[in-house]
Amino acid sequence: MIKTIYKIFTAMLCIAMLPLTVGSSASAAAADNCQTEISKARKPRPSGALNQDGTYTKFDYSNMPDPKETIFACVNNQFLATDVPVQTENGFSLIPMRALLEALGADIAWDGDSRTVTVKLQGKTIVLQIDRPDASVNGRTVELDVPARMKDGRVLIPTRFVSEQLGSAVVWQPKNKAIMIYKPLQAEVTAQAVQTKTLGTDDYKYGNYFSTAKRFLLHKKNRVVLVEDMGDNGLRVQEFTPAFDKIEEKMISKELPLLGGIHLGEDGCYYVVYGQPNMEESPTKTVYFIVKYDDSWTKAGQIDISDVYVTDPFHAGNVTMDSHNGKLAVYSTRQRYLTPKDGLRHQSNITFLADMKSMTLLYKGAEWPRNHVSHSFAAYVRFDGDKIIYADHGDAYPRSVVLQVEQRDRIVSELDILKFPGKIGDNYTGAHVGGLEVAKDNYLVAGSSVSLTEQYGASKTKNVYLGVVPKGAKDAKEVNVVWLTDHAVDSGVDIEETHLVKLNDDKFVLLWKESGNNEGLFYAVVDGSGKQLYRPSALQGVPSPGHIDPLVSGDSIIWYQSDSRSSNEQDTTMLYKLQID
């Protein structure tokens, strides 16, 4: 009766069970977020069931574990629903054999006479016998912390031993009572139970236009700094060692209600851009603060900015910053003052340049910045020596992904990378811009777009592009657009989130998240000319960074995943490290 109730309960909450044989117990649920499935499985069980004759049968759960105390497992973020729960013995977990091994893709052989399991995967052969304290790994005898067991006709095997012997990573989340198992991946998976009340990482919102980030991961000396916008509570700053052991945490009050962006300057100070609305269109009201913080996050300077023709800072776009030779560049978007001619408040870009030492403003874009783009739905800036490079997602003037080069306070080059069909100011372009970087001989702009020729506007299918602009180029004909994916217009693949990460002047990583018929996170590695060093590869089971720039550490990039919906945020933060050879 107990086993039957458990089967009904897990099937009802998770997925329908496959036919069961000896050792069979589960299949992976088709859920993107295993934490969501775990939360469902922890809901109170039904007290009973109404029979066809009108009588009521009360279920007896006295011999079953409390759902709040039950251990659940996920493989590559896919929830495993089992008809026999995970067991513990002497502090070690035992998991239904077939559930785990099928999820890992292993070959399984069960000998009922000798009660022996033989597992094969990627050149490894593991032999376990029920109740035997050791196992054979490629013919070598290995002592077990806990042997395989038989329960309710199901074979349970030691989770960590088998998973790690097959090359998978195992992470135990004690507060969440969850076992996170990751198949062999290109990304190394680690876990740190150090962050509390952390923001969720499913925060990348970029439809026709982009948005500002709420999380920032920075690398300073021998520390990693995570800053999060906690709304009215201010900025939460956490500092970690490079191994992500927590050093300290503090809260910083926000100088204005809106956070635009955060930059770690070349001088080791933190630069934060704040903003506030100015719907009254007052030329004397401070709309932006650029605030400088020292190493300990003590305020060390501030620039007040007004009279810049702004009613809503950061409107319909993002904020990026860069610093070089004592100069800070802040690039963003804004909603402008009311235009009398049409009675509308239009959107465009805006630029600020500041002296970092004296904290004085060198340039403010005001009504017509010298690199004017309208509308600018994503704005990126990078220094290249004494030049400032801008990339925009424009849908009006110009209606293109456009790159501009500024030198000695004037724009010396303006080049279209992708030109969009359609009407000026339509908002819809079917494209995104996900990054700008400077290579040795070129400027690189990454993003995604629908087909700009075949079925433009009729298909949502997007592909990843990399615009390669030679330094010194004067004509758009010199621009080379490299397409890293080639999804057919009827494939239904949508790509909204893209990242361009610079490892050095000749090695760059592109990350992107595909949804629709080709769900998952992918990456490719290119050199400074756009040539692919590693062809696009899937990172199965690894979530995307979301709206945060991945951290660069040597030849690795690092990001994290956290589910803000979980009641145990401290336990659900997972770090991902992608090592690039």
Side-chain angles (χ1 to χ4, degrees):
M1 176 64 175
I2 296 299
K3 186 170 75 173
T4 301
I5 294 173
Y6 190 83
K7 288 172 68 176
I8 294 172
F9 173 67
T10 53
M12 177 178 64
L13 290 182
C14 305
I15 54 171
M17 295 294 176
L18 294 177
L20 299 175
T21 57
V22 174
S24 175
S25 55
S27 65
D32 295 331
N33 192 328
C34 69
Q35 300 297 343
T36 299
E37 297 301 314
I38 288 175
S39 296
K40 291 179 182 179
R42 295 205 191 282
K43 290 182 179 179
R45 296 170 175 146
S47 60
L50 187 65
N51 301 317
Q52 289 184 349
D53 60 3
T55 60
Y56 186 80
T57 300
K58 186 176 181 180
F59 293 156
D60 179 10
Y61 299 110
S62 59
N63 292 326
M64 290 184 63
D66 186 332
K68 295 181 179 179
E69 301 300 321
T70 300
I71 296 172
F72 293 104
C74 298
V75 175
N76 280 16
N77 282 326
Q78 299 292 305
F79 183 81
L80 292 183
T82 63
D83 66 333
V84 174
V86 175
Q87 307 289 310
T88 59
E89 183 177 329
N90 297 326
F92 297 93
S93 66
L94 292 157
I95 193 168
M97 173 188 71
R98 198 166 294 275
L100 174 63
L101 298 179
E102 287 184 349
L104 294 178
D107 293 326
I108 314 161
W110 165 251
D111 186 333
D113 294 334
S114 63
R115 302 208 308 172
T116 299
V117 179
T118 301
V119 183
K120 294 183 179 181
L121 180 65
Q122 295 181 345
K124 270 283 184 73
T125 300
I126 302 173
V127 181
L128 302 102
Q129 190 173 29
I130 301 299
D131 300 330
R132 185 180 176 111
D134 55 35
S136 170
V137 180
N138 284 355
R140 179 174 56 92
T141 300
V142 180
E143 186 176 348
L144 299 171
D145 294 307
V146 59
R149 301 296 191 191
M150 180 76 78
K151 183 176 179 63
D152 295 330
R154 303 290 183 257
V155 176
L156 280 73
I157 57 177
T159 310
R160 184 174 294 277
F161 172 79
V162 173
S163 298
E164 291 183 347
Q165 287 293 332
L166 295 177
S168 298
V170 181
V171 174
W172 166 239
Q173 295 182 339
K175 290 184 177 293
N176 201 32
K177 293 182 175 59
I179 303 169
M180 311 295 289
I181 303 163
Y182 292 85
K183 293 183 191 179
L185 300 166
Q186 295 96 327
E188 173 189 342
V189 182
T190 60
Q192 302 293 332
V194 294
Q195 299 174 15
T196 58
K197 300 178 182 177
T198 190
L199 299 174
T201 51
D202 186 19
D203 57 357
Y204 200 93
K205 309 301 180 187
Y206 192 161
N208 287 335
Y209 46 84
F210 207 7
S211 58
T212 55
K214 303 298 182 184
R215 304 177 291 118
F216 303 85
L217 197 56
L218 311 168
H219 198 183
K220 183 175 183 181
K221 297 179 182 176
N222 293 320
R223 285 175 290 166
V224 175
V225 182
L226 172 61
V227 187
E228 298 170 293
D229 182 0
M230 306 305 290
D232 293 340
N233 294 324
L235 305 181
R236 187 161 64 93
V237 179
Q238 297 182 87
E239 295 191 355
F240 307 91
T241 68
F244 281 87
D245 296 318
K246 191 169 182 177
I247 299 173
E248 63 176 321
E249 175 180 331
K250 62 185 70 176
M251 294 296 298
I252 307 296
S253 298
K254 292 164 70 173
E255 298 290 331
L256 289 176
L258 304 176
L259 173 67
I262 300 175
H263 173 68
L264 177 57
E266 60 175 5
D267 59 356
C269 293
Y270 302 98
Y271 293 84
V272 182
V273 178
Y274 300 101
Q276 64 178 340
N278 179 31
M279 301 309 294
E280 59 270 36
E281 300 186 0
S282 169
T284 60
K285 181 177 182 179
T286 297
V287 183
Y288 299 92
F289 282 164
I290 301 177
V291 182
K292 178 180 180 178
Y293 298 92
D294 66 14
D295 186 69
S296 61
W297 283 89
T298 300
K299 188 174 177 180
Q302 177 177 306
I303 300 174
D304 297 17
I305 304 176
S306 60
D307 193 22
V308 283
Y309 212 76
V310 173
T311 56
D312 186 14
F314 323 131
H315 182 77
N318 61 330
V319 175
T320 57
M321 291 185 273
D322 200 10
S323 57
H324 175 70
N325 199 25
K327 184 182 291 185
L328 174 72
V330 178
Y331 196 36
S332 186
T333 61
R334 43 80 181 266
Q335 181 178 266
R336 301 158 62 87
Y337 286 0
L338 190 75
T339 302
K341 184 176 181 179
D342 58 15
L344 299 175
R345 290 188 172 96
H346 293 280
Q347 191 265 14
S348 70
N349 62 343
I350 192 164
T351 311
F352 303 117
L353 300 177
D355 184 283
M356 299 162 69
K357 185 176 181 179
S358 64
M359 285 301 286
T360 55
L361 195 63
L362 302 174
Y363 172 78
K364 61 179 182 181
E367 182 176 2
W368 303 109
R370 52 191 174 227
N371 60 331
H372 176 70
V373 174
S374 177
H375 306 129
S376 174
F377 292 146
Y380 291 86
V381 64
R382 288 289 183 267
F383 278 98
D384 179 24
D386 67 342
K387 298 177 181 178
I388 306 175
I389 317 304
Y390 304 99
D392 289 81
H393 174 190
D395 96 308
Y397 303 102
R399 186 171 165 81
S400 66
V401 174
V402 60
L403 183 134
Q404 299 182 70
V405 179
E406 177 181 325
Q407 189 172 28
R408 298 185 183 93
D409 300 332
R410 68 184 186 91
I411 300 300
V412 297
S413 177
E414 179 178 334
L415 299 169
D416 292 327
I417 295 172
L418 292 181
K419 296 190 70 172
F420 305 126
K423 295 180 181 179
I424 296 297
D426 267 351
N427 285 189
Y428 173 80
T429 62
H432 309 288
V433 179
L436 162 69
E437 292 295 349
V438 176
K440 181 181 178 181
D441 299 314
N442 300 288
Y443 304 124
L444 306 180
V445 179
S448 63
S449 177
V450 299
S451 171
L452 300 179
T453 53
E454 183 180 3
Q455 298 185 25
Y456 175 73
S459 170
K460 293 184 178 180
T461 296
K462 295 185 179 71
N463 282 291
V464 176
Y465 68 83
L466 180 68
V468 182
V469 183
K471 294 182 180 181
K474 298 299 182 183
D475 192 289
K477 294 179 181 178
E478 299 177 64
V479 176
N480 180 29
V481 178
V482 179
W483 294 92
L484 280 81
T485 60
D486 58 354
H487 303 300
V489 293
D490 59 354
S491 66
V493 175
D494 190 17
I495 301 172
E496 175 180 305
E497 178 182 339
T498 58
H499 302 268
L500 177 60
V501 184
K502 180 178 180 176
L503 297 180
N504 57 52
D505 283 346
D506 203 35
K507 185 179 287 187
F508 301 82
V509 180
L510 287 96
L511 284 168
W512 65 91
K513 179 182 178 182
E514 298 188 4
S515 57
N517 294 335
N518 200 31
E519 195 82 27
L521 181 65
F522 297 79
Y523 83 102
V525 183
V526 300
D527 66 13
S529 68
K531 178 183 177 182
Q532 293 188 35
L533 303 178
Y534 297 165
R535 294 183 61 81
S537 300
L539 291 170
Q540 295 181 350
V542 176
S544 67
H547 201 350
I548 192 171
D549 291 331
L551 186 72
V552 177
S553 178
D555 287 331
S556 300
I557 57 176
I558 300 169
W559 65 97
Y560 72 94
Q561 183 269 339
S562 183
D563 187 348
S564 62
R565 293 170 292 179
S566 171
S567 61
N568 293 299
E569 290 90 347
Q570 181 177 353
D571 230 18
T572 59
T573 298
M574 309 288 289
L575 297 169
Y576 298 88
K577 181 178 181 181
L578 178 60
Q579 177 72 36
I580 305 298
D581 296 330

